[in-house]
């Protein structure tokens, strides 16, 4: 079979099914492999004892490519084996083309060939007739090579074909399931992508609205209008949770006053004073706060204080938007 395959066979199996198969093979090893040198015994001996069970989190479906560990070079038999597999491939389209009567209780190869010959004659199907003649010629050659036997009505050959068909059908069904799984995943990703794009659109719209709010509304040249200043005591900003940290902490004991004003759209100047004397000046930008808010960054570190992004936006929105 391997000699005529362009690709190695692939199966889909879960970890639980592998363990169960391992246990069943060990349980019936004497019937399946009575000889001590049987290849199955060699493989099971290398594997050792199977695990007791598989954790549900690890019981995932695996795709395994089958490889014949015991493959040997059979130059003399290679042509016969190729012919064997080619003949199987010839039988498959005959099975699909020839209608089998319900009166045939048990299908065997010669029953199929006879039904095919009659059907080809009735329908003048020369292609089908040529395929059947080719199969019959190949069967004679294969019987001389000892690969098929008339004594069992070529039952082993037919059984091999049945296994091939079943395996192909199983692979097709698995491929359908995999396509369905990938389709569902793709739909989920598309929905998530649409959601993310919607969030980006909303965020962009929100930023544009914020910028527009601080832009002068009159047409033509207008003088820059300073908004503020607004004074906030240190304790007040801590209570409002705008200030979350102070560096150094001892600075908090001096109870500074923070004066916030805005000369430019979306730019806020912060001046810290102690006893009326300016001790520090800082500047924050609306775009920076909005970017941090969108990216889930909840803090803004300045020179000596750390601000909570959300509460700072709330404070600015409350005082500057109302009076703009």
């Amino acid at each position: 079979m391997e000699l005529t395959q362009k690709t190695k066979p692939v199966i889909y199996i879960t970890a639980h099914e592998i363990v169960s198969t391992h246990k069943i093979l060990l349980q019936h090893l004497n019937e399946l492999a009575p000889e001590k040198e049987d290849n199955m015994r060699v493989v099971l001996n290398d594997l050792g004892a199977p695990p007791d069970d598989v954790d549900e989190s690890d019981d995932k479906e695996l795709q395994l490519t089958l490889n014949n560990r015991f493959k040997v070079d059979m130059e003399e038999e290679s042509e016969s084996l190729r012919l064997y597999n080619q003949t199987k491939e010839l039988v498959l389209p005959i099975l699909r083309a020839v209608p089998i009567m319900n009166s045939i209780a048990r299908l065997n190869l010669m029953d199929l060939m006879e039904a095919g010959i009659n059907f080809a004659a009735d329908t003048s199907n020369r292609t089908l007739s040529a395929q059947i003649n080719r199969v019959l010629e190949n069967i004679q050659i294969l019987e001389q090579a000892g690969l098929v036997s008339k004594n069992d009505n070529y039952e082993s050959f037919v059984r091999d074909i049945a296994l091939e068909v079943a395996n192909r059908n199983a692979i097709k069904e698995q491929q359908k399931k995999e396509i369905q799984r990938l389709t569902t995943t793709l739909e989920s990703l598309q929905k998530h992508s649409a959601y993310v794009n919607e969030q980006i659109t909303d965020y962009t719209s929100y930023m544009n609205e914020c910028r527009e709010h601080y832009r002068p509304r009159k047409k033509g040249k207008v003088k820059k209008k300073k908004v503020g200043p607004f004074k906030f005591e240190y304790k007040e900003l801590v209570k409002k949770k705008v200030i979350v940290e102070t560096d150094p902490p001892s600075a908090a004991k001096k109870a500074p006053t923070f004066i916030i004003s805005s000369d430019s759209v979306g730019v806020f100047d912060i001046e810290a004073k102690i006893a009326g004397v300016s001790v520090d000046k800082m500047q924050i930008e609306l775009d920076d706060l909005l970017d941090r808010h969108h990216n889930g960054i909840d803090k803004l570190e300045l020179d000596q204080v750390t601000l909570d992004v959300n509460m700072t936006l709330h404070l600015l929105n409350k005082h500057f938007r109302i009076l703009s």
Side-chain angles (χ1 to χ4, degrees):
M1 180 177 178
E2 292 182 31
L3 295 175
T4 60
Q5 286 185 327
K6 295 181 180 180
T7 58
K8 294 180 180 179
V10 175
I11 63 170
Y12 296 85
I13 189 169
T14 64
H16 176 73
E17 290 171 339
I18 293 175
V19 173
S20 298
T21 303
H22 191 175
K23 291 179 179 179
I24 292 172
L25 289 175
L26 285 175
Q27 183 180 353
H28 302 281
L29 184 59
N30 290 333
E31 299 112 70
L32 295 171
E35 298 180 6
K36 293 183 178 181
E37 301 300 325
D38 193 285
N39 291 338
M40 184 180 293
R41 289 183 177 270
V42 175
V43 173
L44 292 175
N45 183 60
D46 290 346
L47 289 175
D52 294 332
D53 203 354
V54 177
D55 191 89
E56 290 185 2
S57 60
D58 296 328
D59 190 23
K60 300 177 181 178
E61 190 174 65
L62 306 173
Q63 177 179 319
L64 302 180
T65 302
L66 302 184
N67 185 41
N68 186 1
R69 171 181 171 182
F70 304 97
K71 182 179 178 180
V72 294
D73 188 15
M74 298 179 291
E75 294 182 1
E76 294 182 359
E77 298 183 19
S78 61
E79 289 300 323
S80 296
L81 289 174
R82 286 193 186 94
L83 185 63
Y84 182 89
N85 287 284
Q86 289 170 1
T87 306
K88 285 199 303 182
E89 293 297 326
L90 286 171
V91 172
L92 292 176
I94 297 174
L95 277 170
R96 289 191 290 266
V98 178
I100 304 298
M101 302 299 292
N102 294 331
S103 59
I104 299 179
R106 183 178 181 182
L107 176 66
N108 61 51
L109 186 61
M110 291 301 109
D111 288 336
L112 176 63
M113 295 300 105
E114 183 178 353
I117 291 171
N118 294 332
F119 181 75
D122 293 340
T123 58
S124 300
N125 191 330
R126 295 183 179 181
T127 301
L128 178 61
S129 179
Q131 288 177 327
I132 294 172
N133 290 333
R134 179 72 181 277
V135 169
L136 292 174
E137 292 173 1
N138 290 354
I139 288 294
Q140 292 181 355
I141 298 172
L142 293 173
E143 190 164 9
Q144 292 175 359
L147 294 179
V148 298
S149 176
K150 187 178 181 179
N151 296 330
D152 66 350
N153 288 325
Y154 310 104
E155 186 176 339
S156 60
F157 179 68
V158 174
R159 184 167 58 249
D160 201 4
I161 294 174
L163 290 173
E164 182 82 12
V165 172
N167 187 49
R168 291 184 183 183
N169 289 338
I171 291 175
K172 286 181 181 178
E173 288 300 317
Q174 189 59 45
Q175 288 174 337
K176 289 180 181 178
K177 292 180 181 179
E178 186 67 12
I179 291 172
Q180 181 60 42
R181 185 186 69 81
L182 292 174
T183 301
T184 303
T185 302
L186 179 60
E187 290 175 353
S188 177
L189 288 173
Q190 289 172 338
K191 289 180 181 178
H192 181 70
S193 177
Y195 167 77
V196 172
N197 289 332
E198 184 179 350
Q199 292 293 100
I200 292 174
T201 301
D202 291 344
Y203 169 68
T204 303
S205 176
Y206 176 68
M207 286 191 64
N208 291 335
E209 288 178 3
C210 290
R211 293 190 183 99
E212 184 67 25
H213 179 78
Y214 289 103
R215 190 173 291 121
R217 300 180 181 275
K218 294 181 180 180
K219 295 182 179 180
K221 294 183 179 180
V222 294
K223 295 182 179 180
K224 289 185 177 180
K225 180 182 178 182
K226 182 174 181 178
V227 182
F230 298 98
K231 294 183 180 180
F232 302 93
E233 297 297 328
Y234 171 82
K235 292 182 179 180
E236 180 185 359
L237 294 180
V238 171
K239 186 177 180 180
K240 292 177 180 292
K241 297 182 180 180
V242 175
I243 294 178
V244 292
E245 293 178 15
T246 306
D247 185 26
S250 58
K253 297 180 180 180
K254 299 179 182 179
T257 299
F258 293 92
I259 301 172
I260 306 177
S261 62
S262 176
D263 290 331
S264 302
V265 176
V267 180
F268 302 92
D269 297 308
I270 304 174
E271 183 178 9
K273 291 186 176 182
I274 298 177
V277 179
S278 178
V279 294
D280 196 11
K281 290 184 178 181
M282 299 161 279
Q283 192 176 80
I284 58 177
E285 296 184 4
L286 178 63
D287 284 353
D288 184 30
L289 290 171
L290 292 174
D291 282 338
R292 289 172 181 270
H293 174 72
H294 177 70
N295 293 318
I297 302 173
D298 57 0
K299 292 182 180 180
L300 172 63
E301 295 182 2
L302 301 177
D303 290 341
Q304 295 190 23
V305 294
T306 299
L307 305 180
D308 181 279
V309 171
N310 292 334
M311 297 310 297
T312 302
L313 280 170
H314 176 72
L315 180 75
L316 296 176
N317 196 43
K318 178 180 178 181
H319 290 275
F320 286 83
R321 292 190 64 175
I322 291 174
L323 299 177
S324 60

